[in-house]
Amino acid sequence: MTSATRIVGIDIARGLAVLGMFGAHVGVIGAFDWLQPDTWSGVVSGRSSILFATLAGVSIAIMTGRRVVATGADLSGARFRIAVRAMLVFVIGMLLVALDTNVAVILPVYAVLFILSLPFLRMPPLALFGTSLAAAIAVPVVLSVVGPALDDPPNMWIALISYLFLTGSYPALIWIVFVLTGLGIGRLDLTAPTVQSRLLVVGTSLAALGYGAGELAVSALGSSALITTEPHSGSPFEVVGSLGFAIAVLGLCLLVSRVIHRPLFPLAAVGSMALSAYSLQIVAIALIGATVPGESDNILWLLFVVVALAAATLWKLFIGKGPFEWLLTASSRGASRLVPADRLDSATPQKRNSES
């Protein structure tokens, strides 16, 4: 996707997600309460990473044709490039995990989510939204039953799989909800004002429904693993509420970007190289030995934000694509050239004219 065809509002939303995750990692934040402005910094907890995952789905849609899904060898090639990117992101993520920063690094699960999205690429938006809604309700219930049985895995490989898919901070079987929703959103005309407005309205409504119903359920039944709106709880209420929040933020960013451009360029620059900004943030935390969260104030969070905005702006102006983004693009394109076109064609059983 060239710079001329980038949808700036998506980059702005992704930039917000990255800077929000900075706050979740090094900020001093408490429980978020809509009615208490002094707690609003807590909005970044959980919701930033969910926005990041939702935008991953949007990116997958863009890589596979936006509103018109690629077909035949083009679709097979896109799937292959996504798989290569996923493997590279997984490696980067595991290297960041090895730095032992006490940050719950999202990238390994992020990579898994890319792979899990591949069978859904040709699914229309409504079907994607329906699948996401069903998973948002059913999967947390299933995991609440299955999870305790996996507390003591027999070996490290089962432990890793369990952590990635079921029991970790970002269980892939729940987080696929956000990616599939983003994939469906990415199939819409995101340049249309009506679509942007609807995303804001629908997202706000879902957030109110999820969080509101969750608070009512807690008041009536008491808090439990399935009846809570706490960040990273993975309850149906938290999943729906936080997903709605992510959709609303995306809709707002798309609308704002229509009228405000230059002042938001630094934020969009961070969003255009989100993988680099996120990864280098983890490296910086490891180098300075920062505690998670910050010790007494949000100075460290502010410093991370200022450095990221300045560095991304300069890099974007004078170099262009972020370093890790360049690596992913070059590697995935290079790998796809190693696969003969006839093999890509044979990977797709339908003929091109039957896929339109």
Side-chain angles (χ1 to χ4, degrees), residues 138-272:
V139 173
V141 176
V142 173
L143 292 190
S144 69
V145 176
V146 176
L150 300 171
D151 288 340
D152 187 22
N155 58 62
M156 68 174 187
W157 296 111
I158 294 179
L160 176 60
I161 293 172
S162 174
Y163 181 83
L164 291 173
F165 285 86
L166 303 170
T167 62
S169 299
Y170 316 102
L173 292 186
I174 290 180
W175 282 65
I176 191 63
V177 169
F178 310 126
V179 173
L180 293 184
T181 300
L183 179 59
I185 290 172
R187 297 293 184 217
L188 307 176
D189 183 4
L190 294 181
T191 63
T194 53
V195 172
Q196 297 167 355
S197 300
R198 287 171 184 169
L199 288 175
L200 178 58
V201 171
V202 170
T204 302
S205 300
L206 282 175
L209 174 63
Y211 293 133
E215 292 300 324
L216 288 175
V218 169
S219 298
L221 303 173
S223 182
S224 70
L226 290 176
I227 306 177
T228 180
T229 58
E230 290 298 312
H232 293 293
S233 63
S235 77
F237 301 106
E238 190 251 342
V239 171
V240 172
S242 296
L243 176 60
F245 178 84
I247 295 171
V249 169
L250 174 57
L252 181 62
C253 290
L254 290 168
L255 287 168
V256 169
S257 67
R258 300 183 68 87
V259 294
I260 302 176
H261 303 287
R262 291 185 180 178
L264 296 178
F265 179 83
L267 188 57
V270 172
S272 72

Side-chain angles (χ1 to χ4, degrees), residues 5 68 95 118 150 172 239 241 251 290-291 299:
T5 61
V68 180
L95 290 174
L118 295 181
L150 300 171
V239 171
T291 57
I299 296 300

